[in-house]
Amino acid sequence: MDSPLLQVTDLTMRFGGLTAVNALSFEARRGEITSVIGPNGAGKTTVFNCITGFYRPTSGGIALTHPDGAVFQLQTLPGHRIARRARVARTFQNIRLFAGMTVLENLLVAQHNALMPNVASGLLAVFGLGGHGAAEVIAIDRARGWLDRINLLPRADDPAGALPYGDQRRLEIARAMCTAPVLLCLDEPAAGLNPRESDALAELLKTIQADGCSVLLIEHDMGVVMRISDHIVVLDHGQRISDGDPAHVRADPNVIAAYLGEGDEDDPDVPLAAASDGPLAAAS
Amino acid sequence: MNPILKDAGISALVALGLFGPMIGLKTEASATGLFLVPRPLALAAAVAAVFFGRLVLLTWRGRRPGRYRANRGLSEALKRSGRFLTPVLLAFAVVLPFISGRYGIDLGILVLTYVMLGWGLNIVVGLAGLLDLGYVAFYAVGAYSFALLSQTFGLGFWTCLPLAGLFAATWGVMLGFPVLRLRGDYLAIVTLAFGEIIRIVLLNATSITGGPNGIAGIPRPTLFGLQFSAAGGPDTFSGFFGLEYSPTQRVAFLYYVILGLALLTNWVTLRLRRVALGRAWEALREDEIACRSLGINVTVTKLTAFAIGAAFGGFAGAFFATRNAFISPESFTFIESAIVLAIVVLGGLGSQLGTALAAIVMIGGFEVFRDLAEYRMLLFGTALVLIMILRPRGLVSGRTPSVALGRRREISAELVAEGRG
Ligand SMILES: Nc1ncnc2c1ncn2[C@@H]1O[C@H](COP(=O)(O)OP(=O)(O)OP(=O)(O)O)[C@@H](O)[C@H]1O
Ligand SMILES: [Mg+2]
């Protein structure tokens, strides 16, 4: 395919006097895992919020091209349309599950539009009409498949809020995948996971990629990023400071400077600074 | 200082301030005018009662003041008994007209009207998590729709019932469009204002609604065309079945109409909870942002909750009009919204059984203690405070999952969000 899946052009986002994202351009290619990294406050989450319609960018364009050639200008669409029509799914830096609903229910809510294409069909469903029953059987099957993949099938009927942290992270990814996206945006999915869980997460992302869904990943865990990324974009102060494959980014003096410039050695949020022989060595 | 002592001391001070003028001073009329008689002993007794009462309460709870947790044991007991309680209540509701007199049936009608309103509002507040303080507006729209339609076009109750619901739902959507951008307290205030606006319009549009004089002569419902009247003849209920006419027949019929309407509300709500729309409402109550990220149109989903809740308010309003045969804006004041909301909150947000129990306790209790005259309010207030202390999430808290692979297990109230608009 020639056109990239996601093309961000001159994206700028200002909050009052603060420019969180400054004339940022990058692209994410189809079938790849593209990572967005950068120090705290670099503007990564803000980029995600612009892509998924939670913020309206101050200026710039975000174009998403489907495999069938349809192009969506995401900066003009409201959030729920981006998820439904442009088929971009996301997770959140602070987990946003429906805590009081069961694991299974969480995955069914994600398939809302398949179960209820419009209000009329939603109302007909009350009287058992409009094919809701059949649609729900399919939806439950799909949910079951995902629960099996993330090893949560035995906990399907437990409230999502009662799951351990790592399980919640994986459930949020499964929930996003239940919307059948072409692009999955993950905001720090490995945050708070132990090394074993991080490995499992990396595996999961690889299988999602193998299934044909492209991934846009924000992550501070360089082990995960360097292992699974096809392409890395580095942000600092809202600007792109490096862009390329893992080997290129790891060697880029700009990146090393940005991470070291972040400050003190004992800042736990900067995982690279603690490595003994250079900031990005831990990943190799 | 011991925090319990301190807390009790503060409570006593507050009591002193409150009771000072209310109990400490008494007015006595005499030939020369009104005298203020101080009553220090009564005041001291009241303050001491508050002090020691608070002391005992806090010691008994054995917790630091201000930290109340949802009482789970009781909740689960109620939940489990719900399996037996529901059929028992239902059976009782069905046979009530046969075992009770006119007064009992009238009380039953009153309670069931509030049960229905509670279930209707529960859709908006309990499921979708939208705090609506103006629910009475839809009740009024339903009542006036029926009254005006029957006066102008001579339509009967059964024709107007769906129309009343439709009109109320339309108003729900019209209110919802501008208002649902607001959240939490702001939504509550605007819906409250909307309720008042409807009432004031009804009061002032004299040429259409009759203003404060209201509308009288609203037709009674018929049973498949049979009327309930003393006239006899083949088109009356008593004449057709060859029974002796008694006004109780009409009241009993009204009772079954509202019972049917309330059960319809309940059935629709229970069904809605099990399909995509109801699940989306609950998801909205849990986390609106996550809903948006999953492609759910938040505005449309909220509007449907508003409209469906309003439609049931409209049905109840039409019933109210036909039962009383007379309506005026006075019946649709804010206090009605407040009572219905209190029923929903007291019952436990989202719980059908809880709402029904709360309506029985509140409306029934209020009637039963009629003899207590003005002390009724005091008792009522105390009861509400007690319930909210013991069961801050309502009588029946917790949530039953809408779907399960295995057995449905209750979700404890601590995990379930209440919604912020
Ligand atoms: N809604 C907002 N209003 C005002 N400022 C904001 C808003 N959202 C983000 N910012 C600011 O924009 C800058 C970038 O924030 P952002 O959350 O995108 O960083 P990040 O790269 O995701 O950082 P982290 O790694 O800590 O998650 C920060 O200075 C932040 O304070
Ligand atoms: Mg972030």
Side-chain angles (χ1 to χ4, degrees), chain A residues 16-91:
Chain A
L18 177 99
T19 306
V21 179
N22 193 356
L24 173 72
S25 300
F26 73 91
E27 56 183 53
R29 285 183 294 273
R30 212 175 299 282
E32 293 195 345
I33 295 182
T34 307
S35 290
V36 179
I37 64 170
N40 289 108
K44 306 178 295 291
T45 300
T46 306
V47 171
F48 263 35
N49 283 338
C50 290
I51 293 174
T52 51
F54 283 87
Y55 294 158
R56 175 114 330 163
T58 313
S59 65
I62 306 165
L64 183 97
T65 312
H66 273 192
D68 64 3
V71 180
F72 297 86
Q73 294 297 330
L74 301 187
Q75 75 279 10
T76 63
L77 293 177
H80 65 90
R81 282 220 176 180
I82 291 178
R84 184 175 183 178
R85 301 265 174 246
R87 291 170 52 206
V88 177
R90 72 170 291 177
T91 64

Side-chain angles (χ1 to χ4, degrees), chain A residues 4-182:
Chain A
L5 174 69
L6 181 77
Q7 174 101 50
V8 176
T9 326
D10 279 333
L11 182 72
T12 300
M13 182 77 216
R14 283 196 201 95
F15 299 106
L18 177 99
T19 306
V21 179
N22 193 356
L24 173 72
S25 300
F26 73 91
E27 56 183 53
R29 285 183 294 273
R30 212 175 299 282
E32 293 195 345
I33 295 182
T34 307
S35 290
V36 179
I37 64 170
N40 289 108
K44 306 178 295 291
T45 300
T46 306
V47 171
F48 263 35
N49 283 338
C50 290
I51 293 174
T52 51
F54 283 87
Y55 294 158
R56 175 114 330 163
T58 313
S59 65
I62 306 165
L64 183 97
T65 312
H66 273 192
D68 64 3
V71 180
F72 297 86
Q73 294 297 330
L74 301 187
Q75 75 279 10
T76 63
L77 293 177
H80 65 90
R81 282 220 176 180
I82 291 178
R84 184 175 183 178
R85 301 265 174 246
R87 291 170 52 206
V88 177
R90 72 170 291 177
T91 64
F92 296 86
Q93 191 164 348
N94 346 342
I95 302 176
R96 284 188 173 273
L97 287 170
F98 306 120
M101 302 175 85
T102 65
V103 169
L104 178 65
E105 283 179 309
N106 268 271
L107 298 190
L108 289 186
V109 172
Q111 302 177 64
H112 178 79
N113 289 321
L115 287 167
M116 180 185 148
N118 52 49
V119 175
S121 68
L123 293 179
L124 282 179
V126 172
F127 307 100
L129 306 170
H132 184 275
E136 194 171 77
V137 171
I138 297 172
I140 290 178
D141 259 1
R142 181 193 272 268
R144 201 197 288 268
W146 272 103
L147 289 178
D148 202 22
R149 254 174 104 162
I150 61 173
N151 296 325
L152 278 183
L153 201 48
R155 305 212 59 178
D157 298 333
D158 288 341
L163 295 182
Y165 191 78
D167 289 350
Q168 294 198 12
R169 283 263 177 227
R170 275 180 298 139
L171 178 59
E172 207 191 12
I173 296 174
R175 186 180 69 176
M177 286 309 294
C178 277
T179 64
V182 296

